[in-house]
Amino acid sequence: MASRRRQKARALAASILCVVPLGFRTGLHAASLAAELPRPRTEIVLCRHGETDWNVQGRLQGLSDIPLNGVGRSQALEIAAAVKAGGASVVVASPLLRARDTAAIVADECGADLRIDARLREASLGVMEGRTAEEINATHPEVWAAWLASEPLPRQARAEPCEAVAARLEEAILEAAAAFPAGRVVVVTHGAAIPAC
């Protein structure tokens, strides 16, 4: 059953053009397969939410539900302006406030429907959540070192495994793409989640 689902996902992914922010690496099948196929393709635009007060303080947010600050709302308007130029068939977002509110601004500005999908939530960051780099390094230096090196986090991090984050994000993105063939799907999610997929 899993291999059949994986085959279906690969076939769908082959029809997707994936647009990701500069500086992010992604293993999403669409990114590697899309260049090989002719148009029309479903275009996936991955966006990170706007700024929060915890971003300014250098606190890792994880599943903590922190709202956008004023700069974050301005950033959401900038994202909306960039997205609006190419249009949007739908905007799909994480249920966490910072992503949901960013997505609501984008959807409103682009005249697109907004859908919330819990699979797009941020990774659970375990012992790092709500803490600054200095705080994490003081109590869990091995966890912080792995985080900085983009390596799998040790068990004591009590964080969601990268593979689990990637699997749920990929499933949500592929499902959204299937619902809007040859469309433009804007996905608003989180900074630790995007590189995982």
Side-chain angles (χ1 to χ4, degrees):
M1 174 101 169
S3 64
R4 183 183 239 170
R5 190 176 77 221
R6 193 57 151 170
Q7 288 174 338
K8 184 177 177 183
R10 283 183 182 270
L12 176 60
S15 67
I16 299 172
L17 171 64
C18 188
V19 178
V20 296
L22 293 176
F24 280 109
R25 290 171 283 142
T26 178
L28 187 66
H29 296 293
S32 60
L33 297 174
E36 302 171 15
L37 296 169
R39 293 194 184 267
R41 293 180 258 189
T42 300
E43 184 176 354
I44 304 295
V45 180
L46 294 175
C47 304
R48 180 187 175 270
H49 62 78
E51 183 184 87
T52 70
D53 287 342
W54 276 24
N55 291 133
V56 175
Q57 296 166 12
R59 295 192 181 282
L60 276 67
Q61 296 170 107
L63 297 177
S64 298
D65 208 6
I66 310 303
L68 294 174
N69 61 20
V71 171
R73 286 186 289 282
S74 294
Q75 291 170 338
L77 286 168
E78 291 175 19
I79 294 168
V83 167
K84 192 174 185 176
S89 303
V90 68
V91 178
V92 186
S94 157
L96 296 175
L97 283 172
R98 56 196 183 270
R100 190 178 69 215
D101 290 351
T102 299
I105 291 168
V106 172
D108 185 55
E109 292 291 317
C110 295
D113 286 338
L114 173 61
R115 296 186 181 178
I116 304 301
D117 191 323
R119 295 171 295 184
L120 298 173
R121 70 190 177 280
E122 178 62 292
S124 172
L125 299 178
V127 299
M128 298 186 295
E129 195 160 314
R131 303 174 76 199
T132 65
E134 295 78 24
E135 293 167 342
I136 300 163
N137 197 36
T139 59
H140 296 88
E142 65 290 343
V143 171
W144 188 243
W147 177 262
L148 288 178
S150 297
E151 295 174 354
L153 295 175
R155 194 172 183 189
Q156 59 267 35
R158 296 195 304 264
E160 183 178 12
C162 187
E163 297 79 18
V165 176
R168 64 177 164 78
L169 260 74
E170 184 173 306
E171 183 178 299
I173 290 167
L174 291 173
E175 187 177 294
F180 294 90
R184 192 166 196 237
V185 177
V186 178
V187 176
V188 181
T189 187
H190 302 272
I194 291 173
C197 70

